[in-house]
Amino acid sequence: QLQLQESGPGLVKPSETLSLTCTVSGGSISRSSFFWGWIRQPPGKGLEWIGSIYYTGSTYYNPSLKSRVTISVDTSKNQFSLKVSSVTAADTAVYYCARHSEYSNSYYFDSWGQGALVTVSS
Amino acid sequence: EIVMTQSPATLSVSPGERATLSCRASQSISSNLAWYQQKPGQAPRLLIYGASTRATGIPARFSGSGSGTEFTLTISSLQSEDFAVYYCQQYNNWPPLTFGGGTKVEIK
């Protein structure tokens, strides 16, 4: 059974870089047919897609965050990672990693991690 | 960017009653729409994809319909475990993938 688990610091200072890693178990991240993505949810608010990566390293980002976001993949560790630079309080959120199909007309998220709360505060 | 609008923001329903949730897209998305359920402190769970196909293990009381710009999620007879927030997501045009603002289904 596929499992995703987010990890990383729960507190980040303003203007610094937020870094999270998603570890995938129960399946290979190198398996074709899937993208691996990040979604965030500010406290009490809705869901925002941040970006997705294919095992080859191809990435797609939300234009609203693209200038500050980098997603990378490490197939040897079965992990993918998120970096958000120059964070402010507005980046405080629960960050989820999730999987979606690579096939057009199938970009819905069928497996999710439990989420990691990241607070931006000095 | 395709904007997804959900209504109502909150729906008060008694157990055993029917709940009807709406999702509207700012432009046609064909049937490329998913619905998720989220309970407090949990990750979203996929309920419906392709506007009307139930995901694995989802009870038959959940049904989806619509195409183009207007979509509906219906819960035929609300059970206690169904009180949650529901989100729609379009995947017809990306980037970005976009979600609606959510509908909270609460106990009346």
Side-chain angles (χ1 to χ4, degrees):
Chain A
Q1 180 180 355
L2 188 75
Q3 291 189 318
L4 295 85
Q5 177 69 58
E6 305 88 352
S7 60
L11 181 64
V12 181
K13 289 182 170 54
S15 80
E16 295 190 345
T17 296
L18 176 162
S19 296
L20 291 171
T21 296
C22 182
T23 301
V24 179
S25 58
S28 173
I29 203 169
S30 299
R31 176 184 171 185
S32 60
S33 305
F34 292 107
F35 274 93
W36 305 91
W38 290 95
I39 301 104
R40 69 181 184 178
Q41 184 172 39
K45 296 188 177 180
L47 301 164
E48 178 181 38
W49 174 74
I50 300 170
S52 298
I53 190 166
Y54 197 57
Y55 78 96
T56 57
S58 296
T59 52
Y60 292 85
Y61 296 126
N62 192 322
S64 68
L65 295 167
K66 187 174 183 178
S67 64
R68 298 193 295 125
V69 169
T70 302
I71 298 176
S72 58
V73 63
D74 186 338
T75 55
S76 67
K77 295 181 179 179
N78 226 33
Q79 296 176 333
F80 62 107
S81 298
L82 169 71
K83 292 187 185 298
V84 182
S85 63
S86 305
V87 297
T88 69
D91 294 306
T92 294
V94 175
Y95 286 76
Y96 295 101
C97 58
R99 180 187 82 169
H100 66 87
S101 171
E102 68 156 331
Y103 298 112
S104 62
N105 302 334
S106 298
Y107 298 150
Y108 49 84
F109 298 95
D110 62 354
S111 293
W112 296 68
Q114 65 184 29
L117 173 63
V118 179
T119 302
V120 178
S121 175
S122 56
Chain B
E1 172 176 330
I2 296 178
V3 177
M4 307 301 293
T5 303
Q6 290 187 242
S7 61
T10 303
L11 186 62
S12 298
V13 186
S14 299
E17 290 189 339
R18 182 186 195 93
T20 302
L21 291 66
S22 295
C23 176
R24 174 178 294 179
S26 60
Q27 64 188 76
S28 178
I29 58 170
S30 186
S31 296
N32 295 314
L33 182 101
W35 289 96
Y36 301 86
Q37 176 193 68
Q38 187 179 35
K39 297 179 181 179
Q42 296 185 16
R45 176 176 71 145
L46 177 68
L47 295 177
I48 301 281
Y49 61 91
S52 61
T53 303
R54 281 189 301 277
T56 303
I58 301 303
R61 64 180 181 273
F62 290 92
S63 63
S65 63
S67 66
T69 62
E70 300 285 342
F71 300 88
T72 300
L73 174 69
T74 301
I75 311 171
S76 60
S77 178
L78 272 160
Q79 307 298 303
S80 57
E81 62 267 29
D82 301 335
F83 292 96
V85 180
Y86 293 83
Y87 293 96
C88 60
Q89 177 226 331
Q90 71 82 21
Y91 49 91
N92 191 67
N93 288 6
W94 84 312
L97 300 171
T98 51
F99 294 86
T103 291
K104 181 180 181 180
V105 177
E106 64 176 24
I107 301 174
K108 185 174 182 180

